[in-house]
Amino acid sequence: MKLFARIVATALVCGSVFPVQALVIGITEGVTYRATDNEIEARFEAIAKVLATATRQPVKLQVISSYNGLRDALKKGQVDLAFIHPSHIAFETIKGGGFKAIAWTAGYTQYKVSFLCKEPQPIQSWTTVAGKAFVTPDPDSITAIMTRAMLAEHKLKPSDVKLQTTRYQDAVPFYVEHGFAAYGATASGSVIKAWKDKGGKTCAESRPMPIKQWIASNRLDPSLANALRDALLGLDQNEPGRRALATSGYKGFVAPSEELEKQLIVWLGL
């Protein structure tokens, strides 16, 4: 609230290119990693300040941890801009026509799911996978949805295997190590590295895709949406932006590909 008050005051003193109305930014960082709402909000406050300066409008941050809560907020038009970690929700919303992508997160455009396993060789024939147990993070996580897309790509239905879930990515190796699952799906680089460091193997890898998208409401004035896009894409080109990025933990943001979005929407079965 203190940040919001400061931004409002700045907008009123400096004047406004656009109508002075608070832009609501929805933030979700997924449910399969451990971070509190307060920690997430603190990481994005500096970016919100840069966006407020660029648009000369007050900005309000709203962390939405529940995926269905986020879907509801997007559907009801309760947010103007959103930073979304589970990309399937961003893609669902883009497909629905209410929002468009304005930036992807640099360093997160090649997100891949790997199957942890004890087998010495990669999967040669996917017919051998039928009937075996898989463990994924939360069933509504992008990792779980990509796992189901991988199965579909190889002509397997979810019912052809024994799917089970655990909330956090770092719990996946436990299931494989102790024989509760033949394959563990994860896209966490640290989890995969720790598994391999202990002598574990990976038996399959998905196609790469972007995660952590910025999407803007189509209700926004085009000039405002463009100002938000330009500010995000230019964060790494000025000192306030670089400081904001350092606080967020991200390197920067890049322009999205509409064509790749369309392909991935089909692959994910959205």
Side-chain angles (χ1 to χ4, degrees):
M1 291 302 294
K2 291 181 180 178
L3 172 67
F4 180 60
R6 288 199 300 270
I7 295 173
V8 170
T10 301
L12 292 176
V13 169
C14 297
S16 178
V17 172
F18 307 104
V20 180
Q21 181 178 351
L23 287 169
V24 180
I25 302 179
I27 304 290
T28 181
E29 278 279 29
V31 298
T32 65
Y33 299 96
R34 306 173 194 268
T36 67
D37 288 357
N38 287 339
E39 289 171 337
I40 293 170
E41 183 174 358
R43 289 172 50 200
F44 282 86
E45 285 181 346
I47 290 178
K49 187 175 181 179
V50 171
L51 295 179
T53 300
T55 60
R56 297 188 181 181
Q57 289 197 207
V59 171
K60 179 182 178 181
L61 284 176
Q62 182 178 356
V63 178
I64 307 173
S65 298
S66 161
Y67 288 178
N68 285 333
L70 175 62
R71 288 183 173 102
D72 192 52
L74 292 167
K75 184 177 180 180
K76 292 180 178 178
Q78 295 172 346
V79 299
D80 303 298
L81 180 69
F83 177 86
I84 303 179
H85 167 67
S87 50
H88 60 291
I89 297 180
F91 289 152
E92 288 170 2
T93 307
I94 291 167
K95 182 180 178 181
F99 283 73
K100 63 180 178 182
I102 61 172
W104 290 349
T105 303
Y108 291 86
T109 60
Q110 297 291 307
Y111 189 84
K112 297 179 182 179
V113 171
S114 291
F115 288 170
L116 310 185
C117 65
K118 290 185 175 180
E119 299 170 8
Q121 299 294 330
I123 297 171
Q124 300 295 326
S125 171
W126 283 73
T127 59
T128 63
V129 168
K132 293 187 177 181
F134 280 70
V135 62
T136 74
D138 186 285
D140 196 20
S141 68
I142 184 58
T143 301
I145 289 176
M146 289 173 72
T147 297
R148 296 195 289 272
M150 291 171 70
L151 293 173
E153 193 172 22
H154 294 282
K155 313 303 181 185
L156 292 169
K157 301 185 296 293
S159 59
D160 291 332
V161 300
K162 299 174 183 176
L163 282 178
Q164 53 191 321
T165 60
T166 183
R167 179 171 182 181
Y168 295 114
Q169 298 241 15
D170 56 13
V172 167
F174 175 88
Y175 285 75
V176 181
E177 183 176 358
H178 294 280
F180 298 112
Y183 303 104
T186 180
S188 167
S190 60
V191 170
I192 295 168
K193 182 179 184 303
W195 176 255
K196 289 183 174 180
D197 287 348
K198 293 170 60 176
K201 305 293 184 181
T202 57
C203 291
E205 188 177 73
S206 75
R207 67 173 65 185
M209 66 182 298
I211 59 169
K212 300 180 183 289
Q213 286 99 331
W214 285 98
I215 64 173
S217 172
N218 288 332
R219 301 185 321 275
L220 292 177
D221 184 281
S223 60
L224 177 53
N226 289 340
L228 290 166
R229 179 202 62 204
D230 292 346
L232 288 168
L233 298 182
L235 281 174
D236 60 349
Q237 299 171 23
N238 58 78
E239 189 55 34
R242 286 190 287 269
R243 289 197 300 267
L245 288 172
T247 301
S248 74
Y250 295 121
K251 298 177 180 179
F253 303 104
V254 298
S257 165
E258 185 177 351
E259 182 57 35
L260 182 55
E261 280 180 349
K262 292 177 181 177
Q263 295 173 14
L264 291 171
I265 286 170
V266 172
W267 181 67
L268 293 172
L270 301 178

